[in-house]
Amino acid sequence: MKKILIIEDEKNIIYSIKVFLKKLGYEVLIAKNGIEGIQLCEEHRPDLILLDILIPKMNGFLVCETIKNNHELMNIPVIFMSAKVQKDDMNKAYKIGGDDFLIKPFNHEDLKMMIKKYIKEA
Amino acid sequence: MKKGLKLKLLSIFGFLLFIIALNSIWAIINFQRLNNSIDNIMKQNYDSIVYAQDMIYALDNQNNLIVDYLYVEGTDIDTNLVTNETNFLSLLVLAEKNITEDGEREILDSIRTNYTDYIVKYNQLLASNQLTSEEKKVIYRSLNELYHRISSKCKDLLNLNQQGMSSRKNQSYAIAQNATYSMITISIISISSGIIISLILTEKITNPLRVLIEKIKNIAQGDYEQELEVTGSDEIAKLGSEFNVMSKKLLQYKNLNIKKVMAEKQKAEAIVQSINDGIIVTNEDHKILLVNHAAEKALNVRENDVINLHFLEAIKNEKIFKIIKEVGTKSRKKIPSKSFEDVTINNEDGQQDHYRIYVKSIKTKQEESIGVVTLLQNITKLKEVDQIKSEFISTVSHEFRTPLTSISMAVGLLLNEESKELNSDQHELLDVINEDSKRLNNLVTDLLDFSKIESGKVQMDLINCDINKIIEHAVKPFEMQTKEKNVQLIVHKNNQLSKVKADYNKIIWIITNLIGNALRYVEKDIGIIEVNAKQVATKMLVSVKDNGKGIPEEYQDKIFEKFIQINNYSNKGSAGLGLTICKEIIKAHGGDIWVESKLNEGSTFYFSLNLSM
């Protein structure tokens, strides 16, 4: 079973994504802040990370940078989810190794397409 | 009128006539005196001379007769002797009656005495017939002696009168001389005094007139403070006092007018100065005529320092000057007529103030431009409020996104589930939620797009592109919708140069937006939408025309403002930002966007783009 890590502090988002992803047949890991997210990532080696930018303790960019600088973790696709969609933010996200960008608000279809893009089913 | 001008003139002439009369009288008197003196000579001396001569003649005759009687034989006593005697005596009497000279009486007395003796002697002689020659000789001797004596006395009388005549002649001469001199003297005196008095009197008359002329000249030159000194009571004095009344009234009138004009001017100035918006008035040469307090403050200048200076020289704000220049020289060409422009000016404290500049040219009735009024409306506060509003919108929109995400996720999941646990009503309700969450989504996207563009965070990607291609691209998505509504969508391409400098995608977005609006307001089956691109001067003018219901005039300016929705033109799900975003984009292109519309006839939206060089 493929594992997806959600790093997000908004519980309703977490919940709706979790329900959807479980339905699609993924194992879902949840971190409510950046530090926890990195810990979970190191522990479980997820197949995909959904990363919010504005999260407590360590923001999304830093989390992404940390993961991408880790040789063991750098191949995990990181998809940013944010309402912050200014060009600078997008550029920064790609520059530090982010793989893609989901602009809030998105719906389940957008999310599904994005996941399918990075997780090839066996 | 006791002492009129007439009387004055008459007195001058009268005086002159009086002098002439005096002269004439004096002349007559002199003539009379001269005449009298000549008459005197005639009477007093000439007569006496004649008497003396005749007396000598008579005496001579008598004597001759006596000599003849004595010494010529046979001679008788002649009767002539008696005649001569009578003559002599009568002459003597006449001479005695005409005594004029000193000593004349003595001479005449002696003549009478001697002549009496003479008569006695020769009568003795005549009385004695027989006389010897010796006796005769004695008598004759005494007679002869008497004769000589009388004769010499007569000659004395003659001489005396001749002398008197001569002295009288001299006297007459002296009188004539005196008359001449006195006439000359009097003439000189009278002529000179006449001249002097005439001069004085005419001076008296003309001097006030001269003063009056001088004062009238001054009045003509605008100096109304003229007063004449009025003396006397003649016509000129009266003229003078009337003149004083006139000049006083003129002065009052002038003061009254000046006061009125000044009051009006002060009122107008006070109004202009007290207006909170800055006002600058420039003439057709862009020289500054007026700067009010608010403008002084805004531009950090002082009116007194900049008046009559060229706008750029005084205010050094090229952006404002450009607007003024445009308005001042505006032709009637169909180039966008912007009603205002916003500029930013650094104030004294180094902070930025924002001003909305309205420029209006002042025209005469003949439509000639005589200057430009520039109004500077301080919109700094508005901008600040606007900024806060924009930030608020941006924040709120952002905050909307996260809950919207979970809503749409949740709804999507539920709908996707095809759960048998949901009945059809529940399914429909979920559909409603889903639809509105999508709409909310779009709204938030619009708001964010707008706040990005407004805050200048979106850079225009200006490239040289073909306007015909942009239109083609923009029109394509409408094929279906126009067919559905059965309306015509006509595209007039620009045949000439069609290259413009623009952000390709954003212009497509604008045209799409405009066509979308048009489509919304045209009626089914009869609607016509025309898209047109035309080159006007250095601009490309793009228009989207519809025959929909039109836009009420009071909304035509406002529709480009934020969140404006026209009553009865409800467009559910629109934030009213479409045209505002269009405007922001066009502004970033350096172009203009405006609308021309008539109710129930349709609207035409225009926007202009710069041609690519």
Side-chain angles (χ1 to χ4, degrees), chain B residues 252-268:
Chain B
Q252 280 173 358
Y253 183 68
K254 180 191 156 205
N255 286 342
L256 198 71
N257 268 354
I258 284 176
K259 262 183 205 160
K260 255 190 199 167
V261 170
M262 286 302 284
E264 285 299 322
K265 191 171 176 263
Q266 277 164 1
K267 204 164 87 186

Side-chain angles (χ1 to χ4, degrees), chain A:
Chain A
M1 205 192 265
K2 302 277 184 187
K3 279 184 269 186
I4 296 177
L5 171 63
I6 307 169
I7 308 173
E8 167 70 89
D9 64 330
E10 194 64 43
K11 69 176 194 332
N12 287 344
I13 300 258
I14 296 168
Y15 183 73
S16 56
I17 294 175
K18 193 178 83 185
V19 172
F20 180 60
L21 293 183
K22 274 187 173 167
K23 197 159 276 182
L24 289 178
Y26 298 103
E27 190 186 332
V28 179
L29 301 165
I30 294 158
K32 297 214 168 170
N33 61 57
I35 292 170
E36 200 187 333
I38 290 168
Q39 279 173 4
L40 283 175
C41 194
E42 280 170 344
E43 275 173 37
H44 298 278
R45 306 286 161 101
D47 298 285
L48 186 98
I49 298 167
L50 293 170
L51 178 59
D52 190 10
I53 294 172
L54 295 169
I55 45 173
K57 292 192 182 168
M58 196 177 184
N59 76 35
F61 293 126
L62 271 174
V63 173
C64 179
E65 233 176 335
T66 314
I67 292 166
K68 291 292 173 185
N69 284 332
N70 186 323
H71 285 288
E72 291 172 21
L73 306 174
M74 64 189 298
N75 289 325
I76 306 171
V78 174
I79 294 165
F80 281 101
M81 303 182 294
S82 182
K84 259 187 119 181
V85 282
Q86 262 125 48
K87 231 174 186 166
D88 288 352
D89 294 328
M90 303 263 269
N91 288 341
K92 193 173 174 188
Y94 290 121
K95 208 174 156 191
I96 60 176
D99 291 273
D100 223 320
F101 214 105
L102 257 178
I103 298 163
K104 285 181 184 172
F106 53 86
N107 60 21
H108 63 283
E109 295 290 343
D110 304 325
L111 182 60
K112 194 175 162 185
M113 270 165 60
M114 190 61 83
I115 289 165
K116 291 273 188 262
K117 198 169 155 189
Y118 291 97
I119 300 178
K120 303 282 180 251
E121 291 299 326

Side-chain angles (χ1 to χ4, degrees), chain B residues 87-106:
Chain B
N87 273 349
F88 190 95
L89 283 171
S90 65
L91 285 167
L92 186 60
V93 169
L94 281 172
E96 276 168 347
K97 277 182 182 164
N98 192 23
I99 292 168
T100 53
E101 305 298 319
D102 289 337
E104 198 175 357
R105 177 163 296 281
E106 285 78 28

